[in-house]
Amino acid sequence: MNEVIKTIMSRRSIRSFKPEQLKDEELKLILDAGRYAPSGMNTQPWRFTVIQNKDWLNRFNQACKAFFTNIGNEMF
């Protein structure tokens, strides 16, 4: 089986994370892969935001929770 197909089919979502941050080289590789990913009609609408500061990440998380709680969608 093709390696790309094998990788896609074995992909799993992660819900728990290690406390260490990624190395700069690893982060750059991930962001580069995202930039090279195809987009519809090559519009390249992507925007990446990397938050490495734990306090900022917690503030962002709380703001997102508050927003989705207030929009009235029962799913959230």
Side-chain angles (χ1 to χ4, degrees), residues 13-31:
S13 294
I14 305 299
R15 298 288 184 252
S16 62
F17 303 96
K18 296 180 180 179
E20 310 83 52
Q21 290 185 357
L22 293 173
K23 295 178 183 139
D24 287 342
E25 305 83 43
E26 295 169 328
L27 180 57
K28 184 180 181 330
L29 180 62
I30 292 168
L31 292 172

Side-chain angles (χ1 to χ4, degrees), residues 5-59:
I5 300 299
K6 199 182 317 182
T7 300
I8 290 170
M9 294 179 76
S10 65
R11 176 198 121 354
R12 300 292 176 260
S13 294
I14 305 299
R15 298 288 184 252
S16 62
F17 303 96
K18 296 180 180 179
E20 310 83 52
Q21 290 185 357
L22 293 173
K23 295 178 183 139
D24 287 342
E25 305 83 43
E26 295 169 328
L27 180 57
K28 184 180 181 330
L29 180 62
I30 292 168
L31 292 172
D32 285 344
R35 283 187 25 247
Y36 280 88
S39 62
M41 299 174 62
N42 198 30
T43 57
Q44 302 176 3
W46 36 257
R47 298 288 181 266
F48 302 103
T49 301
V50 177
I51 302 175
Q52 299 219 29
N53 180 295
K54 191 74 168 172
D55 291 333
W56 273 96
L57 188 57
N58 287 333
R59 289 172 58 190

